Amino acid sequence: VNGERLRGKRFIISTGTVAFIPDIEGLAEIGYITNVEAVSLPDLPKRMAVIGGGPIGLEFAQMFSRFGVQVVVLECEKQPLPHEDPEMALALCAQLIAQGIRLEFGSEIRCGEINKRGKHIHIHSQNGKDEELVTDQLLVAVGRRPALDELNLEATGVQYTKEGITTNETLRTNVPHIWAAGDITSKYHFTHVASDQGKLIAHNVF
Protein backbone atom coordinates (compact mmCIF):
# COMPACT_ATOMS: atom_id res chain seq x y z
CA VAL A 1 0.00 0.00 0.00
CA ASN A 2 1.75 3.17 -1.24
CA GLY A 3 5.05 1.32 -1.10
CA GLU A 4 4.50 -0.11 2.37
CA ARG A 5 3.95 -3.80 3.05
CA LEU A 6 1.20 -4.48 5.57
CA ARG A 7 0.92 -7.70 7.55
CA GLY A 8 -1.91 -9.22 9.56
CA LYS A 9 -3.14 -12.49 11.01
CA ARG A 10 -6.56 -12.13 9.37
CA PHE A 11 -7.80 -10.38 6.26
CA ILE A 12 -11.22 -9.35 4.97
CA ILE A 13 -11.78 -8.71 1.27
CA SER A 14 -14.68 -6.34 0.63
CA THR A 15 -13.91 -4.56 -2.63
CA GLY A 16 -17.45 -4.71 -3.99
CA THR A 17 -18.24 -4.40 -7.67
CA VAL A 18 -17.50 -2.16 -10.63
CA ALA A 19 -19.63 -1.31 -13.62
CA PHE A 20 -19.70 -3.97 -16.32
CA ILE A 21 -18.85 -2.46 -19.70
CA PRO A 22 -20.21 -4.46 -22.65
CA ASP A 23 -18.18 -5.14 -25.77
CA ILE A 24 -19.94 -2.70 -28.10
CA GLU A 25 -18.18 -1.51 -31.23
CA GLY A 26 -17.02 2.10 -30.91
CA LEU A 27 -18.15 2.51 -27.29
CA ALA A 28 -14.73 3.42 -25.90
CA GLU A 29 -14.08 5.85 -28.76
CA ILE A 30 -17.38 7.70 -28.42
CA GLY A 31 -17.14 7.99 -24.63
CA TYR A 32 -19.63 7.08 -21.92
CA ILE A 33 -20.47 7.47 -18.25
CA THR A 34 -21.65 5.02 -15.59
CA ASN A 35 -24.01 5.53 -12.66
CA VAL A 36 -21.04 6.86 -10.66
CA GLU A 37 -20.42 9.79 -13.00
CA ALA A 38 -24.13 10.28 -13.69
CA VAL A 39 -24.79 11.61 -10.18
CA SER A 40 -22.02 14.22 -10.42
CA LEU A 41 -22.60 15.76 -13.86
CA PRO A 42 -22.01 19.54 -13.75
CA ASP A 43 -24.86 20.15 -16.20
CA LEU A 44 -27.89 18.22 -17.41
CA PRO A 45 -27.68 17.01 -21.01
CA LYS A 46 -30.61 17.72 -23.33
CA ARG A 47 -30.55 14.15 -24.68
CA MET A 48 -29.39 10.93 -23.04
CA ALA A 49 -29.19 7.35 -24.25
CA VAL A 50 -29.14 4.64 -21.58
CA ILE A 51 -27.69 1.28 -22.56
CA GLY A 52 -29.33 -1.28 -20.27
CA GLY A 53 -32.96 -1.89 -19.31
CA GLY A 54 -32.29 -3.41 -15.91
CA PRO A 55 -32.96 -1.84 -12.48
CA ILE A 56 -30.08 0.65 -12.61
CA GLY A 57 -30.71 1.69 -16.21
CA LEU A 58 -34.44 2.25 -15.72
CA GLU A 59 -33.95 4.04 -12.41
CA PHE A 60 -31.56 6.54 -13.96
CA ALA A 61 -33.66 6.84 -17.11
CA GLN A 62 -36.69 7.86 -15.06
CA MET A 63 -34.66 10.20 -12.88
CA PHE A 64 -33.14 12.10 -15.81
CA SER A 65 -36.48 12.14 -17.63
CA ARG A 66 -38.07 13.84 -14.64
CA PHE A 67 -35.26 16.40 -14.74
CA GLY A 68 -36.41 17.27 -18.27
CA VAL A 69 -33.85 15.23 -20.24
CA GLN A 70 -34.98 13.47 -23.42
CA VAL A 71 -34.20 9.81 -22.64
CA VAL A 72 -33.92 6.69 -24.80
CA VAL A 73 -33.33 3.26 -23.22
CA LEU A 74 -31.56 0.65 -25.36
CA GLU A 75 -31.79 -2.98 -24.24
CA CYS A 76 -30.63 -6.05 -26.20
CA GLU A 77 -33.22 -8.28 -24.51
CA LYS A 78 -36.86 -8.27 -25.61
CA GLN A 79 -38.23 -6.72 -22.40
CA PRO A 80 -37.12 -4.40 -19.60
CA LEU A 81 -35.97 -6.04 -16.37
CA PRO A 82 -35.23 -9.31 -18.22
CA HIS A 83 -34.79 -11.25 -14.96
CA GLU A 84 -38.17 -10.21 -13.55
CA ASP A 85 -41.75 -11.31 -14.16
CA PRO A 86 -42.66 -10.40 -17.78
CA GLU A 87 -46.14 -9.11 -16.92
CA MET A 88 -44.80 -6.77 -14.25
CA ALA A 89 -41.95 -5.66 -16.50
CA LEU A 90 -44.33 -4.79 -19.33
CA ALA A 91 -46.60 -2.90 -16.92
CA LEU A 92 -43.60 -0.82 -15.88
CA CYS A 93 -42.73 -0.37 -19.54
CA ALA A 94 -46.15 1.20 -20.21
CA GLN A 95 -45.67 3.59 -17.29
CA LEU A 96 -42.25 4.72 -18.50
CA ILE A 97 -43.53 5.29 -22.04
CA ALA A 98 -46.41 7.35 -20.62
CA GLN A 99 -43.81 9.48 -18.83
CA GLY A 100 -42.12 10.25 -22.16
CA ILE A 101 -39.25 7.75 -22.07
CA ARG A 102 -38.51 5.96 -25.33
CA LEU A 103 -37.77 2.24 -24.96
CA GLU A 104 -36.00 0.14 -27.60
CA PHE A 105 -35.70 -3.59 -26.95
CA GLY A 106 -34.15 -6.47 -28.87
CA SER A 107 -31.81 -4.11 -30.71
CA GLU A 108 -28.22 -4.43 -31.83
CA ILE A 109 -26.11 -1.38 -31.00
CA ARG A 110 -23.02 0.06 -32.65
CA CYS A 111 -21.45 3.39 -31.72
CA GLY A 112 -20.42 5.72 -34.50
CA GLU A 113 -18.75 9.11 -34.55
CA ILE A 114 -18.89 12.05 -32.17
CA ASN A 115 -19.20 15.56 -33.63
CA LYS A 116 -20.89 18.90 -32.99
CA ARG A 117 -24.33 17.30 -33.28
CA GLY A 118 -23.54 14.80 -30.55
CA LYS A 119 -22.74 11.12 -30.14
CA HIS A 120 -24.00 8.92 -32.94
CA ILE A 121 -25.39 5.44 -32.15
CA HIS A 122 -26.49 3.02 -34.84
CA ILE A 123 -29.48 0.85 -33.87
CA HIS A 124 -30.57 -2.29 -35.72
CA SER A 125 -33.99 -3.20 -34.33
CA GLN A 126 -35.48 -6.68 -34.17
CA ASN A 127 -37.88 -5.83 -37.02
CA GLY A 128 -34.92 -5.14 -39.32
CA LYS A 129 -35.15 -1.34 -39.18
CA ASP A 130 -31.91 0.67 -38.98
CA GLU A 131 -31.73 4.04 -37.25
CA GLU A 132 -29.02 6.52 -36.30
CA LEU A 133 -29.63 7.99 -32.87
CA VAL A 134 -27.84 11.20 -31.86
CA THR A 135 -27.46 11.95 -28.16
CA ASP A 136 -25.52 14.31 -25.90
CA GLN A 137 -24.67 11.81 -23.18
CA LEU A 138 -24.37 8.02 -23.12
CA LEU A 139 -24.97 6.15 -19.86
CA VAL A 140 -23.90 2.51 -19.66
CA ALA A 141 -25.94 0.61 -17.07
CA VAL A 142 -25.94 -3.07 -17.97
CA GLY A 143 -25.03 -4.37 -14.54
CA ARG A 144 -21.97 -4.77 -12.35
CA ARG A 145 -19.18 -7.31 -11.90
CA PRO A 146 -16.93 -8.22 -8.93
CA ALA A 147 -13.92 -5.93 -8.47
CA LEU A 148 -11.31 -8.68 -8.80
CA ASP A 149 -8.89 -7.31 -11.38
CA GLU A 150 -6.34 -5.62 -9.10
CA LEU A 151 -6.40 -8.06 -6.17
CA ASN A 152 -3.90 -10.60 -7.57
CA LEU A 153 -5.74 -13.41 -5.80
CA GLU A 154 -3.57 -15.98 -7.54
CA ALA A 155 -0.76 -15.00 -5.16
CA THR A 156 -2.91 -15.98 -2.16
CA GLY A 157 -4.53 -19.11 -3.54
CA VAL A 158 -8.01 -17.73 -2.81
CA GLN A 159 -10.56 -19.41 -5.06
CA TYR A 160 -12.87 -17.26 -7.15
CA THR A 161 -15.01 -17.33 -10.27
CA LYS A 162 -16.32 -14.61 -12.59
CA GLU A 163 -19.21 -14.28 -10.11
CA GLY A 164 -16.87 -13.38 -7.24
CA ILE A 165 -14.89 -14.91 -4.38
CA THR A 166 -16.00 -18.33 -3.17
CA THR A 167 -16.81 -18.53 0.56
CA ASN A 168 -18.47 -20.94 2.98
CA GLU A 169 -21.42 -20.22 5.27
CA THR A 170 -19.16 -18.25 7.63
CA LEU A 171 -17.88 -16.11 4.71
CA ARG A 172 -14.46 -17.72 4.98
CA THR A 173 -12.53 -18.43 1.79
CA ASN A 174 -10.58 -21.61 1.13
CA VAL A 175 -7.55 -19.86 2.69
CA PRO A 176 -8.23 -20.08 6.47
CA HIS A 177 -7.09 -16.56 7.45
CA ILE A 178 -8.94 -14.75 4.63
CA TRP A 179 -12.68 -13.90 4.57
CA ALA A 180 -14.79 -12.00 2.04
CA ALA A 181 -18.05 -10.07 2.38
CA GLY A 182 -20.44 -7.93 0.37
CA ASP A 183 -20.93 -7.77 -3.38
CA ILE A 184 -17.50 -9.34 -3.99
CA THR A 185 -18.90 -12.68 -2.78
CA SER A 186 -22.71 -12.41 -2.79
CA LYS A 187 -25.05 -12.86 -5.75
CA TYR A 188 -27.44 -10.46 -4.02
CA HIS A 189 -26.00 -7.01 -4.68
CA PHE A 190 -28.00 -5.06 -2.12
CA THR A 191 -26.86 -2.70 0.62
CA HIS A 192 -28.78 -4.52 3.35
CA VAL A 193 -27.20 -7.86 2.37
CA ALA A 194 -23.68 -6.38 2.48
CA SER A 195 -24.46 -4.74 5.83
CA ASP A 196 -25.60 -8.02 7.38
CA GLN A 197 -22.56 -9.80 5.96
CA GLY A 198 -20.33 -7.12 7.45
CA LYS A 199 -21.73 -7.80 10.92
CA LEU A 200 -21.45 -11.56 10.44
CA ILE A 201 -17.88 -11.43 9.19
CA ALA A 202 -16.72 -9.14 12.02
CA HIS A 203 -18.14 -11.63 14.52
CA ASN A 204 -16.55 -14.61 12.78
CA VAL A 205 -13.12 -13.03 12.30
CA PHE A 206 -12.75 -11.90 15.90
Side-chain angles (χ1 to χ4, degrees):
V1 179
N2 296 329
E4 180 184 359
R5 178 169 292 186
L6 305 180
R7 291 178 171 84
K9 292 182 178 180
R10 304 174 181 89
F11 289 89
I12 296 173
I13 302 174
S14 184
T15 52
T17 58
V18 294
F20 175 77
I21 307 302
D23 185 17
I24 297 176
E25 181 181 347
L27 180 61
E29 290 75 15
I30 202 174
Y32 60 87
I33 60 173
T34 68
N35 62 297
V36 175
E37 294 82 17
V39 295
S40 58
L41 291 174
D43 300 293
L44 284 173
K46 293 182 179 180
R47 304 163 297 179
M48 172 178 282
V50 179
I51 297 179
I56 298 176
L58 294 184
E59 179 182 3
F60 276 84
Q62 187 179 57
M63 179 179 72
F64 277 98
S65 176
R66 292 182 175 181
F67 285 150
V69 179
Q70 182 181 336
V71 179
V72 179
V73 176
L74 306 173
E75 168 62 54
C76 64
E77 300 290 341
K78 295 183 179 181
Q79 70 166 60
L81 301 173
H83 300 296
E84 304 299 331
D85 178 81
E87 187 175 355
M88 294 296 292
L90 292 177
L92 173 62
C93 187
Q95 290 290 324
L96 295 175
I97 292 174
Q99 294 175 23
I101 300 172
R102 178 183 170 188
L103 305 175
E104 289 288 339
F105 301 109
S107 301
E108 297 178 7
I109 306 167
R110 177 173 58 85
C111 296
E113 64 178 343
I114 178 172
N115 54 28
K116 293 181 179 180
R117 290 179 57 206
K119 301 182 179 189
H120 294 248
I121 304 172
H122 302 282
I123 305 171
H124 181 73
S125 62
Q126 54 185 339
N127 60 11
K129 180 183 177 182
D130 290 314
E131 177 187 353
E132 183 176 78
L133 176 70
V134 183
T135 186
D136 301 309
Q137 191 59 265
L138 179 59
L139 170 63
V140 176
V142 296
R144 301 183 66 80
R145 62 179 180 83
L148 295 166
D149 295 351
E150 298 181 2
L151 293 180
N152 190 24
L153 289 178
E154 288 77 10
T156 68
V158 169
Q159 294 177 353
Y160 67 95
T161 69
K162 64 178 183 179
E163 305 298 329
I165 295 175
T166 304
T167 60
N168 64 15
E169 65 275 7
T170 70
L171 300 178
R172 197 176 212 153
T173 72
N174 62 299
V175 179
H177 66 285
I178 300 178
W179 286 257
D183 292 356
I184 193 68
T185 186
S186 173
K187 63 180 179 179
Y188 304 108
H189 294 172
F190 302 110
T191 302
H192 58 278
V193 174
S195 177
D196 282 351
Q197 286 193 338
K199 296 175 184 177
L200 175 62
I201 204 171
H203 172 79
N204 292 340
V205 166
F206 289 108

